Every structure is written in structure tokens, then in C-alpha cells.
Amino acid sequence: MNKKKAIIFLMLIAIGGGIAKAQKKSGNFKTVWESEFSNKADVISMINEDGSFVLGTDGNSATVLNGEGKQLWEGDYKKITTNKTNSAEFQFYVRSKDGGYLFLFDARKLGTDRIAVLDVKTGKEMWNTEIYQNLLSKDGGPVETVNYINELDAFMIAQKDGLNMVKAKTGEKIWETKLFKGSIGKYVYDKNKNEIVMINYKPNALAALFSGFKNQLVKINAANGEILWDATFRGTIEKKLITREALVNLNIIGGKVYLWLDGLQCFNLENGQKIWEVDYENDMTKSGGSGLLGNKSQKGIYGTLADPIFTDDAVYIVIFANRSRTKYVEKHDIATGKLLWASEKIAGAFSMPNIHLGSGRVMLQIGGKVEVQEITTRRTPSGGTEREAKIYTDYIAQKNGILSIDDKTGATVWRSERFDKRITDMIIHEDKTVFVGDGDQFYSYDIASGKQLFDVKHNDARVGKATDVINFGDNVVVLSEKGLASYKKADGKRVYATDKLPDVDFFYEIGGNYFLRNQKNSKNVIYGVDMTNGEIKGKVESKGKGGSDRYGDGIDITHDGEFIFAFKGKKVEKIKVNN
């Protein structure tokens, strides 16, 4: 289970020391209310999806506010729980419309580990147990032995001797199976049949407990835990550095199960028999090391290979060959896995993150942005340590270009390599034109012929080198080092260029609202932007703890993108995005 740090916002009225203030401006944003937690929220500070519940926790207490900033409850864990859970070594929040669940793990060194589950809406203990042991890694990492199954409102809890399904609201054990060992890496739920197809992995920090572990892909009856079939898959599941997302995909298409892990493996959905597989290297790069004064860094690079494209009769795969270390595209028959064609080999490519099929062409992007997750640990002047975690996109020096491949033969139709230092993501319009840029230029090509339709000097917009592109209706918006510039798809004419907006390294589209993020130099700044005209709606900067893993320390955003919550210690602010 991913470790969540959450930030929750308080609303309109003063309760227990919380003070609400209306209509304060934060940049051009308006503050709906501002308040305080009764405790200092430095472990979890988050909202549920619509911001109707705001949760703030420290090591041994919690406060919850409603959507108006009014305190609903607060209390110490040792008083709320009936199994004397006090200082929780690990906490995580499962969001839901009615508040959700707060899980507390008390890993006792000399005794039996405890679990307590609290109702975020009421602050009441829902259940507790001492049945499940060794759920936490010894190094303080995230819980990898508990998975919340949203479709069933239940938890899967892995133990060394099997898997347990437990009702989330009561803790009642629904079933237990000894035939599935390890943690759940990925699952797909079939509501009509009440069946789950899932794969396992061995939790790294608890590997010694799973001595009889083997790779398992299973189909299971969700009602009683009966294993309908059990198959062995090839490969080792890794997880992302910060978000702990499993680096594996599992899809069910047309009566087949497709597992994307160290290649693509195809299984029969009815009986689990492996039909075919294509072997190639997994999408993951890690690095780490020590620097001056004992500072340490870890870095994971993800998104280097495009997801496969499935059609009724074929699958298109971006291949990273294990032996030759070169990349290319292959087309395989969907029924048998037979190789239909392979594109030219592309030497010197680190990433090929995007592929598109349409109008008889396969468009391939060579090079481009990748996702980076980085953890830096620094020594403080007082002799302690501080940990900074960042998620951002970056460009890796490599050979860049776009390639148009004939869908019937795999032959190259045309190719452009006018991208010396970087290449933005390509944007396809109506399967007829492709838009792509380097740092200084922005191009449009006819997909069928490769004819260049326009060439825009992006550096004339004076917003710095392009770092990303956003597909926005009739326009393409180019996110750059110092701002935004928007161009018409029809002719490349510039729609607007913004004033300077430095160090933006990430963007989000949430419910039709667009946000930019600056997390450089230990900052965490979120901008709201109107993509039609480039107007910056407002700015929020937070240095608080917790927050959503997606948006960083001190920040959470409602699922519709209409409100931002900013946290700092005891204080929380709810901010309206659209005035």
C-alpha cells in the first residue's frame, strides 16, 4: 500500500482554536476560509475527493474538519482505540465520499503488533486486531502487505502463510487462502462474475518472511477466495521510488489477460494457460549515490517506453532489446503472438515514450520527457537529517526524432531528426497532422507524406525553451522554462505568450482546470492557469508537511479541480480556483 501524506483544509467557523476568515486573496485566488487543527498535522494532511472532510494527524492524534472548516472531532489515538494503540509507526488514509478510513499500525518491538481503523467521519474506532503481524518493513518504508480493493470496500492483507480478505468497515475476515502468497502487485476486478485477476510480488523489506514465494498470476472468486486458476509469470516486479506504484500493467482484452512486465505475456482468461510472450527489458532506471557532507540521493526514471497498442488483430510494442540494447517497434498477431514485422533498429535512443496508430501509419516519438522520482537526504546544521522527495519531468540527452512507419510492412515512410537537444511530446490531430517541437522551434508535419506544414520560432515568444506540450482544443500550448506560449494547430500562429513564470516543471489537468507546479529549490508552488488566454488565476505556495503525493508537501486539490487546500503545521486554507 502506498504511503500517503495528506493535507486537509478547514472551513468557515472558529472551533477549538480554529479561526475562519473569508475572502482573503492568495495571489489572484480567493480564500474561502482559513482555520487551524487542534493538533499539528505533520504526518497526514489531506482531503477526501471533494474536500468535504479534512484530515490532519501527528504521531498520536488526529483532527478532522468538514467542508466549511468546522471541526468535526479531534482526539488522541490511545483514547479512541480500545487496543491501546498510541504512537502509530505508520498511518495511511483511504479516501471516500463519506470520509474514508484512517489506518493505524503499531509495530511493537517486544510484543504483538496492533492495527486500529478509525472512521474519519465520526472519529470512532471501527475495528482493531492483533491477528495480522509483520505488516511493516523494518526500515520505515511504506506498507506493501495491505491493499484496499475499492470495488469491494475490502482489504487484502498478505501474511507469510497466505492472503486474507477483510471487510473495511468491520474487520470481519471474508475468506483466507493459503494458495496465494505475497503482496498484490496489480489486480483487475470483474463485477459481473465477482472475480479478480491479480499478480503477486515479494515485499522487498519482508522478503525473509516469504521463503516459499513464487510468481503467481491467479483468477480468484472474490466471494469465497477459491483459486479458479493459477499461472506462473516471468519477471520481477519493481516499484516506483516515491509513489511505490508497481511497475507492471495488467489488462483483460477479448478473453485474454495481458501482463506487461519484462516484456508482454499473454494468458487465456478462462484457464490461465500462457498463449504467447515477447521478451524485452522492463521500463525502469535507478541511480543513487553519496555526495559532500554525507548527503545522499536516489533517483528513479520512468516512462521511457510507450504502452502497447492493442487492436482486434494485432498488438504494437515498443521494444528495448535485452542483448543488443537497441530499441524498435514490433507488430505481433494478437491470437498467436507471431511477429508480423519489426521496424528499423534505433540506436542511441534512451526513451521512446509515445506511439500512435491511425490512417495506416504508426507514429513513433524517439526521445522526450521522462518521469523522475528523486529522494535527497541532507544533514542539518544541528546534526540531524532532512528528507526531500520530488516528482518531476525531465529530458535525457539522446538521439531524438519522429518516425512514420507503414502499418502493413513496418517500413519507414519518413523520418525527421530536427531535434538536437530535446523533443517535446508529439500531439496528433485527426490522424492527419503531428505537432512536435524542440527547445526553440515548433513544427507541424503531414502524417501521410512527412511534408512540413509549418515551422514556428518558439524562441520569439521569449518564454524560454520548451519543456512540455498540452493539447488544448484548436491550439497547442507549449509549457516552457519561463512561461507558456500557445499556437494554432491550423497555421502555427501564436495565440498568446505569458509573462515570465520561471521554474515550472509539471502540469496537471483536473476536471478541466489546469495547474502548473514549481518545486525547485525546496519550494512547492501551484499556479492556476486559464489555457485560453494564458492568464494566471492565482498562486499558492506551501511549506507544510504531508499533502498529496501527487501535488507535494502542503498541497491537495479536489477531484474537480475547483479548490486547492494549503497546509502548514496547524493551519489550513481552502482556496477557490475560479472566481
Side-chain angles (χ1 to χ4, degrees):
M1 175 68 70
N2 290 347
K3 183 176 181 180
K4 298 284 187 181
K5 291 182 177 179
I7 300 183
I8 302 189
F9 298 89
L10 302 178
M11 304 189 93
L12 206 48
I13 299 177
I15 294 282
I19 302 173
K21 302 175 182 178
Q23 301 302 313
K24 172 187 171 184
K25 284 193 174 183
S26 178
N28 291 327
F29 289 137
K30 289 184 178 179
T31 297
V32 179
W33 51 257
E34 188 177 37
S35 190
E36 292 185 355
F37 294 115
S38 294
N39 59 329
K40 188 174 182 179
D42 55 7
V43 175
I44 293 179
S45 48
M46 282 181 72
I47 58 171
N48 67 332
E49 290 185 349
D50 61 5
S52 55
F53 293 89
V54 183
L55 170 67
T57 78
D58 57 24
N60 51 28
S61 69
T63 304
V64 171
L65 307 154
N66 67 10
E68 297 175 347
K70 186 182 296 186
Q71 182 173 294
L72 294 177
W73 62 269
E74 61 87 19
D76 294 337
Y77 298 146
K78 64 181 178 181
K79 295 180 180 179
I80 297 172
T81 63
T82 57
N83 65 345
K84 299 181 180 179
T85 295
N86 184 12
S87 180
E89 275 75 16
F90 192 83
Q91 308 173 33
F92 68 82
Y93 174 37
V94 179
R95 312 189 203 203
S96 71
K97 291 182 179 179
D98 60 354
Y101 313 112
L102 176 61
F103 259 69
L104 309 175
F105 292 89
D106 187 359
R108 304 169 69 198
K109 293 181 180 179
L110 300 174
T112 304
D113 295 348
R114 298 165 175 162
I115 296 175
V117 182
L118 308 184
D119 184 346
V120 169
K121 181 177 182 179
T122 64
K124 304 296 183 182
E125 181 184 69
M126 303 177 71
W127 54 275
N128 69 68
T129 184
E130 297 179 2
I131 295 175
Y132 308 107
Q133 298 296 299
N134 299 305
L135 296 180
L136 300 185
S137 62
K138 303 303 180 184
D139 61 0
V143 175
E144 296 183 315
T145 50
V146 180
N147 292 76
Y148 178 65
I149 309 299
N150 180 68
E151 296 89 342
L152 300 172
D153 194 25
F155 288 91
M156 294 280 201
I157 302 178
Q159 296 283 265
K160 64 180 181 179
D161 59 348
L163 186 71
N164 304 267
M165 176 174 273
V166 176
K167 289 184 179 180
K169 285 185 169 62
T170 65
E172 175 190 351
K173 184 185 290 187
I174 303 172
W175 50 257
E176 177 183 2
T177 178
K178 305 291 186 181
L179 300 178
F180 184 91
K181 292 187 177 182
S183 298
I184 299 174
K186 191 79 72 173
Y187 75 89
V188 179
Y189 176 69
D190 184 339
K191 183 178 180 180
N192 293 328
K193 295 183 178 181
N194 196 25
E195 295 174 349
I196 302 175
V197 176
M198 60 188 183
I199 58 173
N200 70 345
Y201 73 97
K202 183 188 291 187
N204 294 335
L206 300 172
L209 298 177
F210 296 88
S211 56
F213 178 87
K214 67 174 183 177
N215 284 351
Q216 288 179 286
L217 171 68
V218 304
K219 183 165 76 168
I220 190 169
N221 185 327
N224 58 22
E226 177 188 2
I227 303 293
L228 302 175
W229 54 254
D230 181 345
T232 299
F233 65 88
R234 177 186 49 76
T236 301
I237 296 178
E238 301 286 349
K239 288 200 159 190
K240 289 186 177 182
L241 186 62
I242 297 173
T243 62
R244 307 307 296 165
E245 177 187 354
L247 289 165
V248 59
N249 282 343
L250 188 66
N251 296 309
I252 296 177
I253 304 173
K256 296 184 179 68
V257 179
Y258 295 96
L259 173 62
W260 186 30
L261 173 68
D262 290 342
L264 188 63
Q265 301 170 61
C266 176
F267 299 83
N268 186 304
L269 178 61
E270 288 303 313
N271 57 28
Q273 180 182 356
K274 182 178 282 189
I275 302 173
W276 56 264
E277 66 177 320
V278 181
D279 180 19
Y280 57 95
E281 190 160 306
N282 193 27
D283 172 27
M284 181 187 65
T285 302
K286 285 186 177 179
S287 64
S290 299
L292 297 174
L293 305 176
N295 295 338
K296 296 180 180 180
S297 66
Q298 293 176 279
K299 184 182 291 186
I301 300 173
Y302 312 104
T304 60
L305 295 182
D307 290 348
I309 296 176
F310 295 92
T311 68
D312 291 339
D313 56 8
V315 58
Y316 301 78
I317 309 170
V318 175
I319 298 287
F320 186 8
N322 292 336
R323 294 182 180 180
S324 64
R325 312 293 291 176
T326 57
K327 291 188 172 74
Y328 45 93
V329 178
E330 288 185 350
K331 179 180 179 179
H332 290 258
D333 181 83
I334 199 76
T336 65
K338 178 184 177 182
L339 177 64
L340 300 177
W341 55 251
S343 73
E344 64 175 272
K345 293 183 179 180
I346 304 165
F350 177 83
S351 66
M352 296 199 299
N354 289 301
I355 184 173
H356 178 84
L357 173 67
S359 299
R361 295 285 187 270
V362 178
M363 291 300 302
L364 175 67
Q365 177 187 319
I366 307 165
K369 67 180 182 185
V370 293
E371 178 186 329
V372 181
Q373 297 194 9
E374 183 176 10
I375 297 175
T376 304
T377 305
R378 302 183 182 91
R379 289 192 175 275
T380 63
S382 62
T385 60
E386 61 180 10
R387 178 180 179 273
E388 181 184 16
K390 294 194 300 183
I391 301 174
Y392 57 96
T393 57
D394 201 0
Y395 288 86
I396 307 297
Q398 68 164 81
K399 183 178 183 179
N400 301 313
I402 51 174
L403 188 66
S404 178
I405 302 168
D406 184 272
D407 181 29
K408 292 183 179 180
T409 66
T412 297
V413 179
W414 60 270
R415 183 171 183 166
S416 177
E417 296 180 333
R418 303 187 63 179
F419 313 94
D420 293 334
K421 295 183 179 179
R422 68 176 60 175
I423 183 172
T424 68
D425 283 352
M426 62 182 183
I427 291 178
I428 307 292
H429 182 62
E430 297 180 347
D431 286 333
K432 296 179 180 179
T433 51
V434 56
F435 304 92
V436 64
D438 61 12
D440 300 318
Q441 306 286 116
F442 187 64
Y443 307 97
S444 174
Y445 296 91
D446 177 74
I447 289 177
S449 65
K451 179 183 177 181
Q452 182 176 296
L453 302 177
F454 63 70
D455 173 1
V456 175
K457 292 183 178 180
H458 175 63
N459 51 7
D460 287 350
R462 300 189 178 184
V463 290
K465 293 185 180 297
T467 60
D468 218 328
V469 286
I470 302 165
N471 193 357
F472 188 75
D474 293 332
N475 303 328
V476 176
V477 180
V478 181
L479 176 62
S480 306
E481 294 170 339
K482 298 178 182 179
L484 304 177
S486 176
Y487 302 97
K488 288 187 176 296
K489 291 178 180 178
D491 54 17
K493 289 184 179 179
R494 190 190 310 146
V495 180
Y496 63 79
T498 65
D499 293 333
K500 285 188 177 181
L501 195 65
D503 297 330
V504 170
D505 56 10
F506 218 84
F507 81 89
Y508 310 92
E509 188 276 321
I510 309 168
N513 293 289
Y514 287 83
F515 300 91
L516 310 176
R517 183 177 176 189
N518 172 0
Q519 54 184 329
K520 293 186 178 180
N521 301 319
S522 300
K523 294 180 180 179
N524 191 27
V525 182
I526 298 288
Y527 300 91
V529 58
D530 184 340
M531 285 295 177
T532 61
N533 56 22
E535 177 187 346
I536 302 303
K537 300 177 182 179
K539 167 186 171 183
V540 176
E541 181 172 357
S542 179
K543 298 180 180 179
K545 299 294 183 182
S548 166
D549 281 339
R550 186 180 183 194
Y551 310 119
D553 280 350
I555 297 290
D556 207 354
I557 303 175
T558 56
H559 69 96
D560 59 5
E562 292 295 325
F563 297 96
I564 301 172
F565 288 82
F567 303 88
K568 185 175 182 181
K570 282 192 169 186
K571 294 183 178 181
V572 60
E573 182 182 5
K574 180 179 180 180
I575 299 158
K576 185 173 177 58
V577 171
N578 297 303
N579 297 326

